[in-house]
Amino acid sequence: MTVTVFTNPSNPQCEATEQELAKLGVRYVAIDLTQNPSTFEQIKDAGFKQIPVVISPNSSWSGHRPDLIRQLAQSFAA
């Protein structure tokens, strides 16, 4: 399964989310929104109000959400 994290490398919530995903063994692709302004606009148009934005096959959220990261890791392990 593919997990995509839309991120800004200088944002502490983005860094914490990526670290937590890596720690729990969730493989993901990071998209740097500072290098992709049109993608940033699409994220905003989709209604996300903060970064990071995490998109997986069965869920999506914005902000650093350790609870949802753990759930995601558990679903991948199942």
Side-chain angles (χ1 to χ4, degrees), residues 1-75:
M1 288 194 256
T2 302
V3 175
T4 304
V5 181
F6 296 93
T7 184
N8 176 334
S10 64
N11 181 289
Q13 286 194 30
C14 295
E15 291 176 20
T17 295
E18 289 189 72
Q19 288 174 357
E20 187 77 13
L21 287 167
K23 179 177 117 182
L24 294 174
V26 177
R27 293 183 3 193
Y28 65 93
V29 174
I31 306 294
D32 181 351
L33 292 172
T34 64
Q35 301 297 316
N36 297 283
S38 63
T39 302
F40 179 63
E41 289 303 317
Q42 290 175 335
I43 292 292
K44 287 189 339 189
D45 291 345
F48 293 104
K49 305 266 186 228
Q50 64 183 35
I51 53 173
V53 172
V54 178
I55 309 280
S56 76
N58 300 318
S59 63
S60 63
W61 70 85
S62 63
H64 178 57
R65 297 287 310 268
D67 57 328
L68 295 178
I69 294 169
R70 282 190 298 276
Q71 285 179 10
L72 181 65
Q74 289 172 352
S75 74

